[in-house]
Amino acid sequence: MYVIAVYDVDQKRCGKMLKLCRSYLHHIQNSVFEGEITEARLEELKIRAKKIMNEEDEDSLIIFKSRNEKWLDKEIVGTEKRPVDNVL
Amino acid sequence: MYVIAVYDVDQKRCGKMLKLCRSYLHHIQNSVFEGEITEARLEELKIRAKKIMNEEDEDSLIIFKSRNEKWLDKEIVGTEKRPVDNVL
């Protein structure tokens, strides 16, 4: 499955979330990630993200899922920051 | 067409970008927007965004387009900040 993930967490937890998301998906913008992932790996990512996030601080992670990447077109206006950033 | 738009701009320009994007789409997270939009309105949004953005500062706006919202599932982990925020 193809997913887009975007987090919005307090600055204190940004580094941890960045590192976590990069270990599952491609980093395409500040707090935006995309890539192919299995259902099981996505569950794992969500569980690990919940451990980092603080819901009282309104931290959130939005995941858009598509069964097929072809159903989505991506367009970048402005600077493409990380064109060749790969999953670590 | 259904789109997801995410901007990453210098703090100085965040307010303007927020206001612009909110006038075209639903605001669902810090710098994330979604909604139905026509091709013409999306072009207008992109032109107006380019006027606000500074490419030398690596400002960017990523747009994911899908012909059909049903092709995408959205899941929110953590706090849903703006469940009833509508287009102004």
Side-chain angles (χ1 to χ4, degrees):
Chain A
M1 142 180 75
Y2 172 79
V3 305
I4 300 162
V6 193
Y7 64 73
D8 178 17
V9 302
D10 189 276
Q11 217 177 339
K12 294 193 289 287
R13 294 178 286 277
C14 273
K16 276 190 182 173
M17 279 297 276
L18 174 68
K19 199 172 160 191
L20 173 68
C21 293
R22 283 180 76 170
S23 65
Y24 289 83
L25 298 163
H26 301 271
H27 187 199
I28 55 169
Q29 200 199 53
N30 195 15
S31 57
V32 188
F33 303 79
E34 67 170 356
E36 278 293 330
I37 192 167
T38 62
E39 196 73 57
R41 293 257 303 158
L42 182 61
E43 279 308 308
E44 193 183 279
L45 168 59
K46 279 157 40 186
I47 290 165
R48 292 178 65 185
K50 277 182 193 163
K51 285 183 187 161
I52 294 171
M53 288 169 14
N54 180 343
E55 292 200 27
E56 283 169 21
D57 255 7
E58 298 203 331
D59 285 355
S60 73
L61 171 68
I62 302 182
I63 297 161
F64 296 95
K65 298 188 263 188
S66 177
R67 268 189 296 144
N68 196 326
E69 185 176 352
K70 281 188 287 187
W71 293 345
L72 271 182
D73 270 335
K74 183 175 67 178
E75 185 178 351
I76 296 175
V77 181
T79 312
E80 186 163 11
K81 267 187 180 161
R82 300 167 175 278
V84 289
D85 187 16
N86 289 316
V87 173
L88 297 177
Chain B
M1 142 180 76
Y2 172 79
V3 305
I4 300 161
V6 193
Y7 64 72
D8 178 18
V9 302
D10 189 275
Q11 217 178 340
K12 294 193 289 290
R13 294 178 287 279
C14 274
K16 277 190 181 174
M17 280 297 275
L18 175 67
K19 200 172 160 189
L20 174 68
C21 293
R22 282 181 76 168
S23 64
Y24 290 83
L25 297 163
H26 301 271
H27 187 198
I28 54 168
Q29 199 200 55
N30 195 15
S31 58
V32 187
F33 303 80
E34 68 170 354
E36 277 293 328
I37 192 167
T38 62
E39 195 74 57
R41 292 257 302 159
L42 181 61
E43 277 309 307
E44 194 183 278
L45 168 60
K46 277 155 44 184
I47 289 165
R48 291 178 66 186
K50 276 182 194 165
K51 285 182 186 161
I52 294 170
M53 287 169 14
N54 181 344
E55 293 200 27
E56 283 168 21
D57 255 7
E58 298 203 331
D59 285 354
S60 72
L61 171 68
I62 302 182
I63 297 162
F64 297 93
K65 299 188 264 189
S66 177
R67 269 189 296 143
N68 196 328
E69 186 177 351
K70 281 187 288 187
W71 292 345
L72 270 182
D73 270 335
K74 184 176 66 178
E75 185 178 352
I76 297 176
V77 181
T79 312
E80 187 163 12
K81 264 187 183 161
R82 301 166 174 278
V84 290
D85 187 16
N86 289 316
V87 173
L88 298 177

